[in-house]
Amino acid sequence: MFKYFRLILLLLCSNIYVSDDLNMKGILKMTKQFIDKYIKIPLSLLLTLFLLTSCGIVAFNTPETEGATETSVTIETEPPYQVSEYEQYDKNYSKELSRFLQEIPDADYGGGSFLIATPKPSLVLGDETVSTVLSKNLETRNNYIQTEYNITVSAKNVNPQIMFDEIKIAIKSVSYYADLIMIPQNELGRFAVAGCVTNLSSLPGFNANAKYYNASSVEAGGGKGKIYGVAGPASVDPDCLSAVFFNKSLMSEITEDNVYKLVRDGQWTWDKFLEYSNAVSTIEGDYYSIGTQNTALYIEDLIFISAGMKYSSCDGVDLPKIAFTAETADPIVELIKQVKNHEKKYTDNLSAISAFSSGNTLFLIDDLSTMKTISSSICDWGVLPLPKKTAEQKAYTTLVSSEDALVYSVVPTVSDSQKSANLLALLNIVAYGDTPEAYAEEALSYYLRDNSSAGMVETIINSATFDLVYGYSVSYDTISTSTFQAIRYPSNGHRSVDYYLRAYGGSFNYAVQRLFGK
């Protein structure tokens, strides 16, 4: 239990700086969520800690905690999230986190440094030039790790090509490079084939089934018992995820449906998307139904994955295999054609964001970073996840951009593999649940127009989906030809899914055998 008392002390005594432009309401909410998330203890114990540490605290009433005192502090500000019957999740991760932390052995690293080489150090340390919800969240996480393990998390900014070259030199000289590396998913195969990353399954204590790792990233990390990269809440940059931005004014002319409620009820489907798109023609004026810009080159992939499909599958024991057939894929290809060739689609992919910002387009399918561009536009907009194929589909799924999504890997010459395994897990455990909330809250403070969109952003982050074919196509192009190209080409009128599976399916099997062994 002492581990958790120290975590509370860290939070209560941390020197939290709030800049003038930061919404104070967000910090208060984050503080309460952090306390609720890591441990629920009676108010009397909090007061005892207060007396022992001489730190100031804000007491929050938590009546759901058994035996909690009715005492509370009234705060004269509204929380940034407005409670509603369909827009609020129950975000109590405390039990899971307590269990996760028990998996990590106690250790004292003597005040040393834990180095992560990455092309995006802001995902490790936050943006040190500004005080934002997300940056403070990362700072609090790193402070906890430093307090608990007596080690400082640090980051080295290095682009993937330079990292690749430096690691090869380090391996040749059998010298230390970094405790962890973060590389784009589409580089994973190149690093693996060159021997620049080790099999994570060989690390002591590494748990591939842990809930704090993205399950699809584990499946996409390799095959035949080999996992060369893994992602989690500490590595996924939400900016690399796609969303459906919608014009609220145009939507109100088309339907009385509450589209946010559709999402929450699991009823947001591509049929609904097309129904609304078709209705644009009934609005007086020159309006468009759908636009794509940054996502235009891989919109087929986004729709395919959002429909609950996968390009490849792997159970971790056997070799990866193609996860679709012509029979299962053909209906999705027809759906893609309906979206891409919609009669009211905005066809200039270089100016689709501008057209949406001007209020001329109902839907814009683009990555989440687009909200920074359109934050001050005249269009009153909201955010939704990519639709499901049917309401019965289990969950919303959002394909990550393989060029921007990062995975964690370990260099073979790492000095202490146990330390790397411990900190890889700990980074993702402490970020679990909390970092997606921090991103959504920061988006609400600076970019979003309504509280409901913040909940949608969190839904999108939690739906992040990886697929092996993007990590290893750089090594064998037949992997791409037999998977995502087998969907893209027919969606644009070139041959059929059946043709590409018959022509290149065998080459896929050969490629994965070469990569991971028979």
Side-chain angles (χ1 to χ4, degrees):
M1 282 299 289
F2 186 65
K3 176 184 291 187
Y4 307 118
F5 294 161
R6 290 170 63 182
L7 179 57
I8 292 296
L9 288 173
L10 171 65
L11 175 63
L12 298 177
C13 302
S14 61
N15 180 23
I16 297 181
Y17 167 75
V18 183
S19 66
D20 292 338
D21 62 344
L22 181 62
N23 190 337
M24 180 60 182
K25 299 178 293 184
I27 287 294
L28 292 172
K29 176 177 179 293
M30 180 182 71
T31 304
K32 180 180 184 299
Q33 288 176 338
F34 204 88
I35 293 173
D36 288 345
K37 172 183 169 185
Y38 287 100
I39 183 170
K40 292 241 181 199
I41 55 179
L43 181 61
S44 57
L45 180 54
L46 282 174
L47 293 174
T48 300
L49 291 174
F50 168 72
L51 294 173
L52 290 174
T53 62
S54 299
C55 294
I57 86 170
V58 176
F60 293 92
N61 184 33
T62 55
E64 71 275 22
T65 305
E66 187 175 349
T69 307
E70 291 296 324
T71 305
S72 62
V73 174
T74 301
I75 301 173
E76 297 296 332
T77 57
E78 280 188 336
Y81 287 95
Q82 303 299 316
V83 178
S84 71
E85 63 178 340
Y86 54 85
E87 293 157 358
Q88 193 71 296
Y89 285 103
D90 178 13
K91 300 167 183 172
N92 180 9
Y93 304 104
S94 58
K95 291 183 180 179
E96 288 183 302
L97 286 165
S98 298
R99 176 166 49 83
F100 295 159
L101 289 168
Q102 290 174 2
E103 298 177 7
I104 310 301
D106 291 331
D108 186 330
Y109 292 110
S113 176
F114 186 81
L115 178 61
I116 302 174
T118 173
K120 292 183 180 179
S122 61
L123 292 180
V124 178
L125 303 176
D127 188 343
E128 297 179 346
T129 64
V130 294
S131 180
T132 63
V133 177
L134 189 57
S135 291
K136 297 307 296 183
N137 173 271
L138 294 174
E139 181 182 339
T140 302
R141 179 198 69 183
N142 294 339
N143 284 344
Y144 169 68
I145 293 173
Q146 181 176 353
T147 300
E148 187 59 40
Y149 284 85
N150 195 16
I151 193 169
T152 301
V153 177
S154 61
K156 177 171 72 170
N157 186 0
V158 53
N159 75 54
Q161 182 57 54
I162 293 177
M163 187 188 302
F164 181 81
D165 295 336
E166 290 177 346
I167 290 175
K168 287 201 297 184
I169 293 173
I171 291 174
K172 188 174 182 179
S173 61
V174 196
S175 58
Y176 167 84
Y177 180 73
D179 297 293
L180 280 179
I181 63 172
M182 298 173 73
I183 56 176
Q185 189 205 5
N186 68 345
E187 293 277 3
L188 184 58
R190 185 164 74 105
F191 276 66
V193 169
C196 292
V197 290
T198 193
N199 177 11
L200 296 178
S201 297
S202 67
L203 298 180
F206 175 76
N207 181 7
N209 298 317
K211 193 174 179 179
Y212 46 82
Y213 295 130
N214 180 295
S216 66
S217 77
V218 175
E219 187 176 0
K224 205 72 174 177
K226 300 180 179 69
I227 302 172
Y228 293 109
V230 69
S235 64
V236 175
D237 181 359
D239 284 352
C240 75
L241 295 168
S242 297
V244 176
F245 298 90
F246 74 99
N247 183 321
K248 290 194 282 187
S249 298
L250 291 181
M251 185 66 77
S252 66
E253 294 190 44
I254 289 171
T255 180
E256 294 182 356
D257 292 347
N258 185 321
V259 287
Y260 295 126
K261 189 174 189 302
L262 283 178
V263 174
R264 295 305 306 272
D265 291 346
Q267 302 296 313
W268 174 231
T269 64
W270 281 107
D271 283 345
K272 275 291 183 183
F273 178 94
L274 290 169
E275 174 189 326
Y276 300 146
S277 298
N278 293 338
V280 169
S281 60
T282 67
I283 303 175
E284 184 177 351
D286 191 15
Y287 294 107
Y288 301 95
S289 57
I290 307 162
T292 58
Q293 186 160 321
N294 297 315
T295 58
L297 293 177
Y298 58 97
I299 185 64
E300 300 91 346
D301 304 22
L302 291 175
I303 297 173
F304 186 82
I305 297 297
S306 74
M309 301 291 286
K310 298 167 65 174
Y311 286 118
S312 67
S313 63
C314 180
D315 60 7
V317 178
D318 296 323
L319 287 169
K321 57 185 179 182
I322 297 174
F324 63 94
T325 64
E327 183 179 4
T328 60
D330 283 343
I332 312 302
V333 170
E334 291 306 309
L335 169 62
I336 294 169
K337 289 179 179 179
Q338 290 182 66
V339 175
K340 285 175 59 72
N341 303 323
H342 195 269
E343 61 178 355
K344 297 289 288 185
K345 186 177 185 295
Y346 188 82
T347 56
D348 184 357
N349 293 328
L350 297 178
S351 61
I353 293 176
S354 177
F356 180 81
S357 298
S358 300
N360 296 327
T361 310
L362 176 62
F363 291 124
L364 173 69
I365 302 175
D366 223 286
D367 54 57
L368 277 178
S369 65
T370 300
M371 64 186 175
K372 302 170 186 177
T373 304
I374 65 177
S375 61
S376 59
S377 67
I378 63 172
C379 173
D380 185 17
W381 54 272
V383 182
L384 305 168
L386 289 164
K388 299 189 292 183
K389 179 66 171 66
T390 66
E392 291 71 33
Q393 186 178 315
K394 185 176 180 180
Y396 299 101
T397 49
T398 307
L399 180 68
V400 300
S401 168
S402 62
E403 294 182 4
D404 301 313
L406 302 183
V407 297
Y408 280 110
S409 296
V410 174
V411 178
T413 57
V414 67
S415 59
D416 185 343
S417 59
Q418 180 70 70
K419 181 173 75 171
S420 293
N422 287 352
L423 272 295
L424 171 60
L426 194 60
L427 285 166
N428 287 286
I429 288 173
V430 183
Y432 179 79
D434 197 56
T435 298
E437 288 182 15
Y439 182 92
E441 190 165 326
E442 182 167 312
L444 181 61
S445 298
Y446 293 99
Y447 313 117
L448 299 176
R449 303 291 183 90
D450 58 73
N451 299 302
S452 299
S453 287
M456 298 297 105
V457 166
E458 195 169 337
T459 296
I460 294 166
I461 296 172
N462 290 328
S463 72
T465 302
F466 293 75
D467 199 296
L468 174 140
V469 299
Y470 297 99
Y472 293 91
S473 292
V474 68
S475 302
Y476 291 92
D477 58 9
T478 52
I479 291 179
S480 64
T481 310
S482 58
T483 54
F484 58 84
Q485 298 290 14
I487 301 300
R488 291 182 188 179
Y489 289 146
S491 298
N492 290 284
H494 303 295
R495 298 187 183 273
S496 66
V497 175
D498 182 68
Y499 167 82
Y500 288 101
L501 290 179
R502 288 178 180 274
Y504 298 100
S507 298
F508 176 94
N509 296 332
Y510 172 79
V512 295
Q513 287 179 9
R514 292 293 302 271
L515 284 166
F516 309 117
K518 295 184 179 180

